[in-house]
Amino acid sequence: MRQLFLLLFFCAPIFCFGQNEVGPDGYFLYLIIGFLIGVPVLIFIYTIGKKKVSFNLKGLFSKGRIEARLQGNKKYRPDLLTLIVRNKRSKDVDLNAPVLVIRKLWSVRKFRLKGTNRAEIYPLYLESNKKHELQLKLDVFHRHDPSLHSYYWARVVIKDTTGKTYATNYVTLRKSLIS
C-alpha cells in the first residue's frame, strides 16, 4: 500500500499537460488523482478500528471452513470453558493439539492442550459436518500457576496438519478497564 501511494505521488506530474489557461474541464485530471489517492486513504481510516483486515479471495471460493468457538459458563470469572470446533468443509481435516492462550495487556501464557482424562486425543481427525467439544476447567491452570488469576482474556488457537491456523474469540476472564 505504501508503494502505491509513493507511485501515485511521484507520477502525478506525469499526468499533467501543459496549458496556458485552465478552463472548466482542466480540473478533471485533479479530480481523478484526488479520487485515486482519497479512496485508499478513506479505506485505511475506516479499517483502523478493525482487528484484522484481509482481502482474501481464497475465502470467497471455498466451500466451507473450520469454525472454532470458545464459551465460558459465566460472563466474568468463568470456571469452565467449552471449546467447540465444527468442520463445515466438504473434506475431512486433521487438527493438531490446540493451544490455550491466556493474556493480560502485555503478558501472554500459552498452554498446549493434549487431551482429556489423561488420554491424548490429538491430532484429531474431524470428519466433514461434524463437531468436537472439549471442556476446559480453569482451576487446573490456576493450581499450576496462581498468578493466572490476574489475567483478563483467554482464547484457543488451533492449527491443522496443513498449517492453517484457526483462532477462537476472546473470552473475558475478569473485568479490566478495556473489557
Side-chain angles (χ1 to χ4, degrees), residues 46-59:
Y46 177 73
T47 58
I48 282 177
K50 305 288 182 185
K51 288 184 179 178
K52 182 179 176 185
V53 177
S54 64
F55 299 100
N56 189 1
L57 293 178
K58 188 176 180 181

Side-chain angles (χ1 to χ4, degrees), residues 7-170:
L7 178 71
L8 289 175
F9 179 74
F10 289 120
C11 291
I14 294 173
F15 295 120
C16 296
F17 302 104
Q19 291 180 342
N20 292 336
E21 184 177 313
V22 177
D25 52 320
Y27 295 109
F28 181 70
L29 185 60
Y30 294 122
L31 290 174
I32 291 175
I33 291 171
F35 182 76
L36 290 175
I37 293 173
V39 168
V41 169
L42 289 175
I43 290 173
F44 177 74
I45 291 171
Y46 177 73
T47 58
I48 282 177
K50 305 288 182 185
K51 288 184 179 178
K52 182 179 176 185
V53 177
S54 64
F55 299 100
N56 189 1
L57 293 178
K58 188 176 180 181
L60 295 175
F61 299 110
S62 66
K63 294 183 181 177
R65 59 187 181 130
I66 304 294
E67 178 185 297
R69 196 171 71 231
L70 188 64
Q71 296 175 343
N73 60 347
K74 295 187 277 187
K75 183 168 176 113
Y76 297 113
R77 297 198 185 274
D79 303 328
L80 183 73
L81 297 177
T82 305
L83 171 67
I84 302 169
V85 181
R86 183 171 287 139
N87 185 4
K88 291 186 173 181
R89 303 171 100 189
S90 58
K91 295 180 181 178
D92 302 342
V93 66
D94 283 328
L95 299 174
N96 288 333
V99 176
L100 176 67
V101 179
I102 301 175
R103 64 180 287 252
K104 258 192 212 181
L105 295 176
W106 290 283
S107 301
V108 176
R109 293 292 310 269
K110 295 181 180 182
F111 298 96
R112 184 167 306 278
L113 307 173
K114 297 179 182 176
T116 61
N117 299 330
R118 300 192 187 274
E120 292 190 15
I121 59 172
Y122 294 102
L124 178 72
Y125 182 74
L126 192 60
E127 297 174 351
S128 64
N129 298 321
K130 300 283 182 178
K131 75 175 184 177
H132 168 68
E133 287 190 18
L134 182 65
Q135 303 286 330
L136 304 172
K137 294 182 181 177
L138 288 178
D139 62 344
V140 174
F141 300 103
H142 291 199
R143 274 187 270 135
H144 175 72
D145 187 5
S147 68
L148 291 177
H149 284 288
S150 64
Y151 282 61
Y152 300 125
W153 304 285
R155 85 183 307 182
V156 175
V157 178
I158 304 170
K159 287 187 179 182
D160 62 2
T161 54
T162 61
K164 290 185 182 177
T165 303
Y166 309 100
T168 64
N169 54 330
Y170 277 105

